[in-house]
Every structure is written in structure tokens, then in C-alpha cells.
Amino acid sequence: MSRRRYDAIVVGSGAGGGMAAFVLAVSGLRVLMLEAGRHYDPVRETPMFQLPREAPLRGAGTPAKPFGFYDATVDGGWQVPGEPYSVAEGSSFMWWRSRMLGGRTNHWGRISLRMGEYDFKPRSRDGLGFDWPLSYDDLAPYYDRTEALIGVYGSNEGLENTPNSSPGVLQPAPRPRAYELLTRKACRRMGIPVIPAHLAILTRTQDADSLPAQLFPGNALAQRVTAESMRGRAACYWATSCGRGCSIRANFQSTTVLIPPALATGNLEVRTDAMVREVTVDARGRATGVHFIDRRTLLDEYAGARVVVLAASACESARILLNSRSAPFPDGLANSSGLVGKYVMDTVGAGVYSHIPALQALPPHNEDGASGIHMYMPWWLYSEQLAGKLDFPRGYHIEFGGGRRMPGFGAFGGLEPLTGGSYGQDFKEDCRRYYGSFVGFDGRGEMIPNEDCYCEIDPDRVDRYGVPVLKFHWKWADHELNQALHMQRTFAEIVEEMGGKVLSTIQTEGARAISQGGQIIHEVGGACMGDDPGSSVLNEYCQSWDVPNLFVTDGAPFVSNADKNPTLSIMALAWRASDYIVEQLRRRSIG
């Protein structure tokens, strides 16, 4: 490494780490980014136009590539060779890790929903869980900045607890497709709102002449590198799945939107294949740097800094803290509350798959658009919930998909219930008749933190680098089980209203309806923020109560896991925390 000591070390390169490194670098700090995975360049590596027939197994998923051969994830998934984790007896949990520069931002669904006023103060509303130590109004300016920087399409609908962005921030949403229009028509009769989704995909080029000055007033360096970055991004031309990565930089990835301009400042150094195992402290209990293992040489190395920012993903950051034991911190760093690793949460998930006869045998038509959703259904039953009319206290939103875009592997494997097992020419005709007439509905709901969901260090196992691994404990509460059942019943009612038939099973037991813990890949918590050092790990700026120059800017600070996908909030919180770090360093109150 070219420098022995930095102003800041950022551990992780995804949503939180990429944003922290970007903001700190454009603010003039010397930053070292440590990423456990390999270097990755979407501009060079993305297979934009290759077809499923050109891939092994026609692009089907494998243990090494769970989301298919063309998915951007490399060296990652729910199982990573040489990097085990444990699950306690009686628990079921899946831990996704993405071992590559940019982390999960390379393959995520790019759904970018703001948490609302209710989401920051849930305990005040229904007496369950915890309130955040900040309000929606505190984070709203950072939501605006983040959406403008990364590029988010959508609309302002003024719905309850579904916040509007400031005027001019959102990009235009793409037009609904046929199955989305049909779904919206049915849902309107049922009183369910169907509105444009918010996705981090450019539908038009960014205004590089004015946006940078609005985002970074008075900061010439930030304005210059941001403008250069924006001019290098093209609007989406609806080519292939965003999950492959994007060589034209139309969608948001840390590797195309945050890291390049941060590098352009000359203030950021990136070290990949660097597995951080421990944060070190001095006699005063201040963070001094990190030890990491070079994955290629297996040598232990060290880097020092005035500030350490953990953004390795919620559970990985908790693992680093718990493994950072010392005389001042015998139970793990920043763990005087005993809450590091506690209150881990994931999104509640349940779904159904359906056949809609009205969509059969449609003539070929243009379905250009984002590979993700154009429309979704925000939660609509706040009043009924508050009045106690439902048997679960928190809501969910609905994502749905279908259409006639190019089929992948297995697209016609589920036709037998409709065709009776046709084959030969009859099967080919059935494929043409039925393709595009299937719609899937998936719920994404809020989980309330509970004491049965946490991670700890397994005293008996280490990974290939000699670092002790995590052991997960998991238990869904009745709140979430009942919510999952409500999801499936609602989806079945929508399908019936559309004149269709559910092809999957509508469960009567919540444990059968709900997704496995970790399966939705939205795990947050493990280093929750709060306003009391005795009952939280971090303050509202993601700053450790115990170690003032230690920050955590991934999903670990989350106090609750609203039904809104967490990535946008992670980035907004990371930007806010990074501004705070810069100000505190200027005042010499930390580091």
C-alpha cells in the first residue's frame, strides 16, 4: 500500500461502503477501501447481449451462481467455499455474501423505496419494536441527494407513509406493460393502489451541468468528478437484465457510480482480496486501524487510520466487531451494551404464481422496459392495522412480474397443469399460446426485531483464513407468520379478480408460506442505533457510543426493517454519517 496511515479506512465497497468512500474522498480525506472479494469491472465484464442458449446449462442457476449463469455475482452466494457459517439447532437461516468489488450492488433488484414517517417511529405507533433516534425529516434531504446522484425513476403519488421526493429529483418512470395494466385495473376495483415503482435505473441522461453543484455546493472537486461520472453514464436502452451488471452504467452499481468518481479525486485507494478480521484500538479505546488477511498470499497485514468505517454488510460488520476483542473490549468492540449481533432482521417474503387467461395468445408486441418492475403496490391498510382489524401489526408491499420478454431456462416447465402433458408440435403450440400469460406476486413485508434472531461467534469453527465464523439463531414471530398468510390470501384474491387461477399452493400455515430467514437477502440490524448507549450500539450518525472514531454504515445500524427495500436507506444514512465524519474531523473531536 502506498500510504501507511489514512484519514479513513472503509471496510466494504457496496452501497454503504461505496457511498462512504465517495463522500469522504470528495471531501478531501485520504481513504483506503478494503474489499474482501476480487476486483470487478462491470464495464468490461458484463455480458450485455449474450443469450441463455450461449451459456452453460442454458444459463440456469447453480450453487456457485444461484441466480443464473449471467448474474453479476462472482465468488458469492448463500454458500461461499472456505467461508462457512453455523446455524443453531432449531433455526433456519441463509446468509448471502457477495465477494466482489461493489458487493450486492452489482446484482440487486434496484428497488429504491424511501422509508416513511411511520417507519422511523414504529414503537410510538403500535408499541412494538423500537423507534429510530432520527426522523424521516432528518433523512429526507439525504434521500433527495442519493436519488439525484444515483438516478432513480418513479413518481410522487402522495400516498400514506409513501414519501414524495422533492420536485425534479425522480426520473420519469417507464410506461406500464400489458400485464401491469391488467393488474392495475383489477386492483383498482379492490381498492389496492398500483403505482410506478422506484428503481435505480436511468431513463434519461443526468444533467451533469447543474446536478453536481446542487449536490455539492462550494466543493469544486466533488462537482468536477461527479460531473465527469454523470457524463459517462447512458440512459437505459432496455437491453438485458440489470442483474448482469451494466456496461453503459445506466443502472446503479457502486462499481460504476460511486467508486470511479471517488478514485478520480486521487484520494481513494482500493485494496481487493482483503479479508478484514479485526479493528484495533489504542489504550484510550480509540480505533487505530484494521488487521486483514490477503486472500491470495494468506498473509496478515495492517493499515492504520484516524477513522474506521465498517460497511462489510450487516452481519459481516457484526462479525468483525465481535472478533475485535481486547482488554478494554473483552466481549467485542463497541459492545458495552451487549447488543452487537442482536436483533438481526430480514424482509418477510411470500409469493404465488398464477395463470391469467386474458393474457393468452397475445400478438407479439413491444415490451421494452427495465428488467425490473415498472409498477408495484405500496401497503394500503394502515388505518385497518392501527384499528386492530388485522392479526399482524406491520405491512408489506407487493412486487409482481410477468410478460413476454425472452424466456430463460425452465420457462416452459410449468405448463403441464394447463396442457395435460402435451409434446411435439402440440407442445410448441402450447408454448406460444401460454407464454406471457403467467404473473407472479411477491410480498415484501416488515419484520419486527425480536430477541430470538441474532448472530454470535461460533467458538468451534473458523474459516479458511483462521477467522472465527458466525452462528445464527432465527425464529419468525407470529406477527410475520400471519403477515405471510395475509400476503398469499391477498394475491389469490387479486388473481381471482383478474379472472385467473393460482398455480402454486396457498398455504394455511404461516411457517409454510413464509420465506426462510435470509432468503430475501435484506438482512439488517446487528449494531442498532439509538439514543441511549445502554440500549444501542450506535448513535443516530452511525457512530459507536464506545469508540467515537468508529462508524458502521451498512444495514447493521437499522432499528427496524420496514417493508421498503433497505438499499436506498443504507446509502442515505451512509452519506449523512460521512458528512458528520468530515465535520467531526474538522473540529478535531475524533481521530
Side-chain angles (χ1 to χ4, degrees):
M1 290 179 293
S2 61
R3 301 185 182 107
R4 288 181 175 272
R5 185 167 172 83
Y6 302 81
D7 292 317
I9 292 174
V10 176
V11 180
S13 61
M19 182 62 81
F22 168 72
V23 175
L24 296 177
V26 300
S27 300
L29 273 63
R30 298 170 301 154
V31 182
L32 172 65
M33 172 184 281
L34 296 174
E35 164 56 47
R38 76 159 171 88
H39 179 75
Y40 171 70
D41 179 7
V43 174
R44 181 175 55 86
E45 296 188 49
T46 298
M48 290 284 283
F49 300 109
Q50 293 177 1
L51 302 176
R53 62 180 171 82
E54 299 175 68
L57 303 178
R58 298 293 190 266
T62 65
K65 284 275 193 177
F67 290 100
F69 179 82
Y70 287 130
D71 182 73
T73 300
V74 294
D75 300 331
W78 281 295
Q79 299 294 332
V80 179
E83 297 186 39
Y85 57 90
S86 304
V87 179
E89 185 176 354
S91 294
S92 179
F93 188 82
M94 307 165 65
W95 186 23
W96 176 276
R97 287 154 300 168
S98 190
R99 293 296 189 231
M100 61 193 300
L101 189 66
R104 303 181 192 186
T105 68
N106 295 302
H107 83 112
W108 67 305
R110 292 168 178 84
I111 298 174
S112 303
L113 305 177
R114 295 186 178 203
M115 289 171 55
E117 179 182 355
Y118 300 166
D119 302 318
F120 286 96
K121 303 297 178 184
R123 185 174 181 84
S124 295
R125 184 169 169 82
D126 60 25
L128 298 170
F130 311 103
D131 284 343
W132 290 63
L134 68 159
S135 67
Y136 172 76
D137 290 339
D138 292 323
L139 201 58
Y142 288 95
Y143 277 135
D144 278 345
R145 293 185 199 177
T146 301
E147 290 169 345
L149 176 68
I150 69 175
V152 174
Y153 73 62
S155 63
N156 290 325
E157 303 291 330
L159 298 180
E160 186 175 10
N161 201 40
T162 304
N164 289 344
S165 303
S166 292
V169 169
L170 294 174
Q171 296 213 338
R175 296 177 61 184
R177 293 163 284 207
Y179 74 90
E180 292 167 320
L181 292 170
L182 185 65
T183 304
R184 184 176 67 179
K185 182 178 180 181
C187 286
R188 279 177 172 172
R189 297 193 294 265
M190 301 172 66
I192 300 174
V194 181
I195 64 173
H198 290 207
L199 265 68
I201 301 171
L202 298 184
T203 55
R204 64 184 181 196
T205 55
Q206 293 174 295
D207 184 355
D209 294 326
S210 62
L211 265 181
Q214 297 171 24
L215 294 173
F216 300 101
N219 187 332
L221 175 62
Q223 292 175 25
R224 176 178 62 81
V225 299
T226 302
E228 291 172 354
S229 177
M230 288 181 172
R231 291 190 182 102
R233 301 183 67 190
C236 182
Y237 48 77
W238 322 127
T240 48
S241 168
C242 291
R244 297 181 178 211
C246 187
S247 66
I248 63 170
R249 302 171 62 195
N251 68 36
F252 169 73
Q253 297 172 247
S254 178
T255 36
T256 55
V257 179
L258 298 177
I259 296 175
L263 287 169
T265 66
N267 292 326
L268 174 65
E269 181 179 341
V270 177
R271 177 76 179 266
T272 54
D273 291 296
M275 176 71 70
V276 172
R277 65 171 179 84
E278 178 187 11
V279 178
T280 57
V281 296
D282 59 19
R284 298 182 301 157
R286 298 289 183 102
T288 56
V290 301
H291 278 284
F292 62 95
I293 309 297
D294 184 308
R295 294 202 313 165
R296 293 161 296 190
T297 66
L298 299 183
L299 295 177
D300 187 290
E301 299 191 34
Y302 179 80
R306 300 164 65 194
V307 173
V308 174
V309 180
L310 296 182
S313 82
C315 296
E316 189 70 46
S317 289
R319 179 192 182 200
I320 293 170
L321 291 174
L322 291 170
N323 276 323
S324 300
R325 293 189 172 99
S326 62
F329 301 101
D331 298 319
L333 190 60
N335 197 24
S336 64
S337 65
L339 293 177
V340 173
K342 308 299 185 189
Y343 298 118
V344 174
M345 298 160 275
D346 189 22
T347 291
V348 179
V352 303
Y353 186 63
S354 68
H355 170 240
I356 310 297
L359 296 172
Q360 273 182 214
L362 292 181
H365 59 279
N366 190 341
E367 282 204 345
D368 283 356
S371 62
I373 58 177
H374 285 192
M375 308 197 82
Y376 86 114
M377 307 169 204
W379 180 239
W380 67 100
L381 296 175
Y382 288 106
S383 302
E384 291 83 347
Q385 211 159 38
L386 192 62
K389 296 180 180 179
L390 302 179
D391 61 356
F392 58 99
R394 305 281 172 84
Y396 58 87
H397 74 259
I398 304 173
E399 302 168 13
F400 62 104
R404 297 174 55 86
R405 303 196 78 179
M406 181 173 289
F409 179 84
F412 304 109
L415 291 181
E416 187 173 357
L418 301 175
T419 66
S422 61
Y423 60 94
Q425 185 61 37
D426 290 341
F427 178 69
K428 293 179 180 180
E429 292 176 0
D430 284 338
C431 288
R432 294 186 180 93
R433 178 184 306 114
Y434 290 114
Y435 192 66
S437 65
F438 303 97
V439 180
F441 296 85
D442 290 289
R444 296 291 180 259
E446 178 165 358
M447 175 186 178
I448 300 171
N450 70 68
E451 294 182 349
D452 294 316
C453 295
Y454 63 95
C455 59
E456 61 182 350
I457 297 299
D458 188 327
D460 302 318
R461 299 187 75 182
V462 297
D463 64 16
R464 64 181 298 183
Y465 311 106
V467 182
V469 307
L470 287 180
K471 184 175 186 177
F472 289 94
H473 301 254
W474 192 264
K475 182 179 180 181
W476 292 114
D478 287 343
H479 303 312
E480 290 78 45
L481 299 177
N482 292 340
Q483 183 192 105
L485 288 175
H486 189 274
M487 289 179 185
Q488 287 204 333
R489 290 195 299 266
T490 300
F491 304 157
E493 291 168 2
I494 294 172
V495 171
E496 182 179 3
E497 186 68 27
M498 295 174 70
K501 178 183 179 182
V502 173
L503 300 180
S504 52
T505 302
I506 302 300
Q507 303 291 347
T508 57
E509 297 179 28
R512 293 182 177 273
I514 200 166
S515 59
Q516 191 173 343
Q519 187 173 354
I520 307 300
I521 319 179
H522 286 175
E523 72 273 9
V524 296
C528 297
M529 63 168 65
D531 53 18
D532 178 2
S535 58
S536 59
V537 179
L538 311 169
N539 67 14
E540 64 171 292
Y541 295 101
C542 303
Q543 179 184 27
S544 164
W545 291 111
D546 299 345
V547 185
N549 64 336
L550 173 68
F551 294 78
V552 184
T553 63
D554 47 28
F558 276 45
V559 177
S560 62
N561 193 19
D563 74 281
K564 285 80 171 181
N565 306 44
T567 307
L568 181 70
S569 295
I570 289 173
M571 286 191 279
L573 288 165
W575 195 333
R576 184 173 185 263
S578 299
D579 277 354
Y580 178 80
I581 291 171
V582 172
E583 181 61 26
Q584 294 303 303
L585 285 174
R586 284 175 180 162
R587 294 182 179 181
R588 298 184 180 276
S589 60
I590 59 174

